[in-house]
């Protein structure tokens, strides 16, 4: 006989409609057994401040609202993330929050969850599949717009002429693809903005520094701008620029995405030029969405977060509240 948790989850998903607006109207927990609603969170990794802040936000919100949260760490490995989702299914969680490492690599995990009648909500990155069928909704930022905003700032700061190094994020991830797309869309309209090199730094400070060091050895003073897909790579690149005898902030304009405290402090020092916010505090929106499902309310297939922009005009104002 199925456990109360399994019966509750089956009843929950039985009400899911494979449409663009998803609801679970009329679903209720089984009256017998443990009434704790268990949420699984498949985190892609905990190797940088953004990821740690995201997980902390979900833990805090789960505790505040009386949910049990089970967190797994894929250690930046797609195969392990698939296995982690399968483990959450085996634990019979009621809902899965999934932060996909790659866009195309999570199909087996989504299929397994669907077969087990466990709804999946994507957080901060998108994955291949049909909203309302393979997953309920996507919660996150407009990554293409983040890239556009970074490019617009850089065009203005450089007067439309720059030799740019682009440090890209995890290959195959939706966020890296979109941040690159938005950036390239804008600079394409400015012939003086040239991409000299584009290499992945895997969203890591150490890798960003190493990659920029290697590029600087061959390009030297031709580098007048750096666009990093996240703050960690930008901070590593700044160290590499200094080691190469280049001056971040004046000789080389640096722009990135995330809005972490260390980045705002770097802006205050005059090294990082600007960063587009990508807020990691997903706790409130994630659990609001779960509760929408439980109340039987329609949920849109995408919920976008509004991001701020930080530069020398406002970094000091927000640094104390940054993660």
């Amino acid at each position: 006989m199925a456990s109360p948790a399994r019966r509750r989850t089956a009843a929950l998903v039985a009400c899911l409609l494979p449409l663009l607006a998803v609801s679970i109207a009329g679903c209720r927990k089984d009256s017998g057994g443990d009434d704790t609603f268990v949420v699984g969170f498949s985190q892609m990794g905990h190797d940088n401040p953004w990821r740690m802040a995201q997980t902390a936000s979900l833990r805090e919100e789960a505790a505040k609202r009386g949910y049990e949260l089970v967190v797994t760490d894929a250690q930046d490995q797609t195969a392990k993330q698939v296995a982690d989702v399968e483990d959450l299914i085996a634990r019979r969680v009621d809902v899965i929050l999934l932060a996909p490492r790659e866009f195309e690599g999570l199909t087996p995990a989504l299929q397994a969850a669907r077969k087990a009648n466990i709804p999946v909500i994507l957080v901060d990155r998108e994955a291949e599949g049909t909203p309302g069928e393979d997953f309920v909704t996507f919660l996150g930022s407009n990554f293409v717009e983040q890239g556009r905003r970074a490019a617009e700032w850089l065009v203005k700061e450089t007067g439309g002429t720059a030799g740019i190094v682009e440090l890209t994020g995890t290959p195959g991830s939706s966020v890296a693809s979109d941040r690159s797309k938005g950036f390239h869309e804008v600079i394409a309209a400015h012939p003086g903005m040239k991409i000299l090199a584009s290499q992945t730094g895997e969203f890591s400070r150490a890798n960003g520094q190493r990659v920029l060091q290697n590029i600087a050895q061959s390009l030297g003073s031709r580098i007048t701008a750096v666009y990093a897909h996240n703050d960690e790579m930008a901070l590593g690149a700044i160290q590499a620029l200094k080691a190469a005898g280049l001056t971040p902030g004046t000789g080389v304009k640096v722009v990135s995405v995330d809005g972490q405290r260390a980045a705002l402090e770097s802006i205050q020092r005059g090294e990082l030029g600007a960063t587009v916010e990508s807020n990691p505090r997903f706790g409130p929106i994630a659990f609001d969405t779960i509760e929408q499902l439980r109340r039987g309310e329609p949920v849109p297939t995408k919920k976008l977060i509004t991001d701020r922009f930080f530069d020398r005009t406002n970094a000091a104002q927000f640094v104390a509240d940054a993660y």
Side-chain angles (χ1 to χ4, degrees), residues 168-283:
T168 64
T170 306
S173 67
S174 65
V175 61
S177 174
D178 287 352
R179 286 177 183 169
S180 185
K181 177 182 178 182
F183 186 82
H184 284 253
E185 282 180 1
V186 172
I187 67 168
H190 302 272
M193 305 292 286
K194 304 289 187 183
I195 300 288
L196 303 180
S198 181
Q199 293 186 29
T200 182
E202 296 280 1
F203 286 127
S204 159
R205 187 181 303 201
N207 286 342
Q209 181 171 352
R210 175 183 54 78
V211 170
L212 204 288
Q213 281 176 339
N214 292 337
I215 294 173
Q217 287 178 359
S218 60
L219 297 180
S221 60
R222 292 176 60 196
I223 302 171
T224 60
V226 173
Y227 167 48
H229 286 193
N230 78 339
D231 289 342
E232 284 293 292
M233 292 189 295
L235 294 169
I238 285 170
Q239 295 306 310
L241 290 170
K242 291 178 180 178
L246 302 172
T247 308
T250 53
V252 181
K253 302 294 182 182
V254 184
V255 63
S256 63
V257 182
D258 271 354
Q260 69 183 62
R261 180 177 293 123
L264 300 189
E265 291 171 344
S266 182
I267 291 174
Q268 289 181 290
R269 291 193 298 270
E271 296 174 342
L272 181 64
T275 181
V276 184
E277 181 183 42
S278 193
N279 196 328
R281 297 184 176 95
F282 276 80

Side-chain angles (χ1 to χ4, degrees), residues 74 76-86 101-102 105-106 109:
D76 205 28
Q77 301 171 43
T78 302
K80 186 177 186 308
Q81 186 163 44
V82 172
D84 286 347
V85 172
E86 292 171 347
R101 181 181 182 274
E102 293 184 40
L106 275 296

Side-chain angles (χ1 to χ4, degrees), residues 39-43 58 69-70 72 81 85 88 93 95-100 119-123 139 282-283 285-287 289-290:
V39 178
F41 175 43
S42 173
Q43 176 62 282
L58 290 168
L69 183 69
V70 179
T72 60
Q81 186 163 44
V85 172
L88 291 172
V93 300
V95 173
I96 293 174
L97 300 172
L98 172 63
V120 175
I121 297 171
L122 303 183
V123 293
L139 313 177
F282 276 80
I285 189 173
F287 283 94
T289 302
I290 289 170

Side-chain angles (χ1 to χ4, degrees), residues 154-166:
L154 194 59
V155 169
K156 182 178 179 181
E157 287 293 309
T158 62
T161 301
I164 308 164
V165 172
E166 179 183 19

